[in-house]
Structures are given as C-alpha cells and as structure tokens.
Amino acid sequence: MFNVLKPKPGSSFVLFGTGAVGLSGLLAAVAAGATTVIAVDIVDSRLEFAKSVGATHTINSRNEDPVARIKEITGGGADYALDATGNKVVFRQMIDSMGLLGHAAIVGLAKPGTESPVDIGSSMLTGASVTFVLEGDAVPQVLIPQLIALYEAGRFPFDKLIKHYAFEDINQAFEDSENGVTLKPVVTF
C-alpha cells in the first residue's frame, strides 16, 4: 500500500478490513501524513484497536452505511482507499466511497471468478483509479529499509499488530488468530 497509493500529507484515507494487512496499510497512511483516517470493519474490538494506531474515525458497516458515512466525514469521498478483504460487496463500497481523482487499491485476495458490479457511469465521473496489488507490489530491498527507518523513528509501530507465541503454544496462536484475539500471531522456535 505504502508504495502503491502514496497518500499525500493532509489527505483522507479509508481502510476496509482491519486485519493485520489492512492495519499495516493504515499505519503506512498515518506515516505518510494522511489526516483523515477511516477504518471500516464489522468487529468493534478491531475498530477500537484501529483508533489506537491512528484511525481518526471508525465505521461498523453492520450498523451504518459506510459509503454515506465516508462521504459525510470526507466532504464528498476519500482521496485514497484500501480494501484488505477481497469481499465483492466491500470492493463495491470502496469504489463508491471514492472522491474526485481518488486512488483505491485492493490487496484482499478473492477466489477466481469473484465479480463485483461497479456503477461505471458514476465512477467515471470521479476520475478515480483502482490498482490491484499483488504481493505488495514492492521491491523488498527498497521497501523494507524504508519501513525499518519509519519504525525506528516511531512512525510505523507494526509491533503493536503482532503477538509472540512459543512453539508449544502454536495451537493457541491459531485459535487466537481465528477468534480475532490476535491480529498477527508470530510463533518462535
């Protein structure tokens, strides 16, 4: 996300899906200087966590229309958006929440054959673009040192997304991940 969307300082950014990948994108948007940072999910505890790492607004899409709320918060639509779900309904919400000349990216993997209808007429009027991101669209030798520098400067606290487990607790790590207790379990040997 960091190297594909390139959010500008003062811009708006919306994240759909607050798992480890999505929240990494949120951290990158905050580090890049986005000032309106919106997290959308259906799990309240993850939305609360998103606030603790930089989200300025959260939307539980089970309780309210995320597109209408995003347009209200941003005054017309998001500058940048990231779909980390791969869900066809969420993908459409992302497209519909974009502002003029916005840039959206999808990193959430969907199974082949998954289709999402898009209102071409309305979307065309925004001039927004969508990037399909594969494997982060990154050159690791370039991106990883950038992320490390941001972490060392206190601007990319990815360590808040992980929890370490001893190898003998691997089953607990899987269970905690499945139940949403842990965003990104790391098993150490």
Side-chain angles (χ1 to χ4, degrees):
M1 191 297 298
F2 187 70
N3 55 321
V4 173
L5 289 181
K6 300 179 181 169
K8 294 180 179 151
S11 63
S12 60
F13 170 84
V14 61
L15 164 68
F16 292 87
T18 58
V21 171
L23 286 170
S24 295
L26 185 142
L27 291 175
V30 170
T35 53
T36 302
V37 180
I38 306 165
V40 180
D41 205 303
I42 58 173
V43 180
D44 286 328
S45 61
R46 288 192 175 194
L47 291 169
E48 284 302 313
F49 183 77
K51 281 185 185 176
S52 76
V53 293
T56 58
H57 301 80
T58 60
I59 300 168
N60 184 319
S61 57
R62 283 190 198 232
N63 303 332
E64 60 184 317
D65 176 359
V67 175
R69 185 73 177 111
I70 290 162
K71 288 186 175 188
E72 177 186 328
I73 292 167
T74 60
D79 298 317
Y80 301 93
L82 180 66
D83 174 7
T85 71
N87 178 296
K88 65 184 181 180
V89 173
V90 173
F91 179 78
R92 172 68 188 261
Q93 292 170 343
M94 178 184 70
I95 299 300
D96 291 347
S97 71
M98 297 306 302
L100 291 176
L101 302 177
H103 187 181
I106 181 168
V107 296
L109 188 60
K111 70 178 185 173
T114 301
E115 296 180 4
S116 180
V118 174
D119 178 347
I120 297 170
S122 295
S123 297
M124 181 68 87
L125 295 175
T126 68
S129 60
V130 180
T131 301
F132 293 83
V133 179
L134 180 63
E135 300 282 328
D137 282 0
V139 177
Q141 298 85 343
V142 174
L143 183 61
I144 291 173
Q146 290 174 337
L147 294 176
I148 291 170
L150 285 170
Y151 173 77
E152 289 173 340
R155 296 181 52 214
F156 192 73
F158 74 90
D159 55 332
K160 291 183 178 183
L161 307 180
I162 64 175
K163 181 177 177 184
H164 292 272
Y165 293 83
F167 182 72
E168 57 268 13
D169 297 326
I170 192 169
N171 291 334
Q172 186 65 52
F174 277 113
E175 184 178 321
D176 288 355
S177 179
E178 181 70 25
N179 294 331
V181 172
T182 299
L183 287 168
K184 189 66 173 176
V186 175
V187 177
T188 54
F189 297 82

